[in-house]
Amino acid sequence: MADPAPRSVDQHLAEVLAALEPLPPSPQPLMEALGLAAAEDVVATVQLPGFDNSAMDGYAVRLADVATATAESPVHLPVVGEIGAGQSTGLLALAPGTAAKIMTGAPVPTGADCVVPYEWTDRGVAQVRVERAPTSGQHVRRAGEDVAIGDLLVEAGTVLGPRHLGLLASVGRPTVLARPRPRVVILSTGSELREPGQPLGTDSIYDGNSFLLAASARRAGAIAYRVGIVPDEPRAFLDALEDQLVRADVVVTSGGVSQGDFDVVKEALRPHGVWFGPVAMQPGKPQGFGFVGEDRVPIFTLPGNPVSSYISFETFVLPALRKLMGLLPHARPQVRARLTHAVASPPGKRQFLRGELDVSGAGAQVAPVGGPGSHLVGDLAASDCLIVVPEDVTALAAGDTVSVVRLDEEF
């Protein structure tokens, strides 16, 4: 069967995203929720602080008893007790004309309206000499001054960061409803592939793609399962795929999708309704996407050359994972920069060139790294961005402004 007419990059991405729905939300333990999108509005059911407490180590007092205190004319008060944080059996009320030792975070006793820090006293045990007067309410954290009951703490759709999780824990929430991390199974196909650490034959190569793609999936926030190498046999591929579907929300393969005699992925999956065809891009022209298994697990079949595979992941798989997780934007934002060197590009294709971005000067500049070859993984590792040359542009001069995808930025 002949491949269909080439899709544009934007058309293929739109087809992929339109076919996917975000994963259903579920309660996530707080430490598992980092980087996930909240799927609920979280409203405070307790106040913060939960009670009036001391902001300093010192003495709880009544302002009226120490208002005249100075170093030259100190006030002396008997110390009637000591209150520590978490000691609910401590002093609960303070009589006029007395003081109570109090630690940071400890509840302020009824009757006290301010705290004198140790530094303003002689730190007396039975009696304290106060040499400086506080103001009303000074060094007291009032109940509810930070968070009141009913306050909106986290809005649905918020990407949960450390500060959100700290707040949720502080109001007693052990879990938060969020869209879970997709489970991504990565399969590399090719009888020539070997695991790193194994000896190589004269016609074999190490499998770098599965590590590249699994690491990319993990960085995107997914749970990545890197599967062993699958040989160029359709039955072996289908068996390996079937074994993995039970733990997959997404499957990503590399290799076996071009026009060769041993393109096992295309041969195995095309009868199951998976789309295969060219996308007008360089590198990464041969692509495949569809659904497999009874649960219709989405599968991305990426080309086998490492640069093609990685750029395909960034262009199509990453936005898909972010949609499954309920994260916006789906695709990496692009910035503008001036080219340091001229570049050429084939007509009718969107070219992704490896580049190195410099934003240290007055304006952003981007330098191409290496050539356009889809096998040049060394140049890929030396890059920190992709230079995007549009389909209708065949040449750009040094100094021209281009769009740049920053590969290592959080978004």
Side-chain angles (χ1 to χ4, degrees), residues 12-22 289-291 296 298 323-324:
H12 186 54
L13 178 58
E15 295 269 358
V16 167
L17 294 180
L20 301 175
E21 293 293 335
F289 174 75
F291 295 87
R296 289 184 54 78
K323 181 170 184 180
L324 292 176

Side-chain angles (χ1 to χ4, degrees), residues 59 245 293 300:
Y59 297 85
L245 290 180
F300 292 83

Side-chain angles (χ1 to χ4, degrees), residues 9 16 76 79 111 133 176 185 193 204 275 303 311 349:
V9 172
V16 167
H76 295 83
V79 178
V176 59
V185 167
L193 298 177
S204 56
W275 175 89
I311 291 176
K349 293 182 180 180

Side-chain angles (χ1 to χ4, degrees), residues 223-279:
I223 299 169
Y225 297 115
R226 180 187 160 271
V227 181
I229 299 161
V230 180
D232 288 320
E233 300 170 7
R235 187 68 258 166
F237 172 78
L238 288 174
D239 288 344
L241 177 62
E242 186 175 352
D243 287 344
Q244 295 298 321
L245 290 180
V246 67
R247 63 171 179 173
D249 296 306
V250 175
V251 175
V252 178
T253 71
S254 66
V257 296
S258 190
Q259 300 291 338
D261 293 336
F262 298 99
D263 284 327
V264 58
V265 175
K266 183 187 291 188
E267 182 180 346
L269 293 182
R270 192 170 245 167
H272 294 270
V274 175
W275 175 89
F276 290 93
V279 174

Side-chain angles (χ1 to χ4, degrees), residues 58 146 285 302 393:
D146 182 17
K285 177 182 175 182
L302 309 183
V393 175

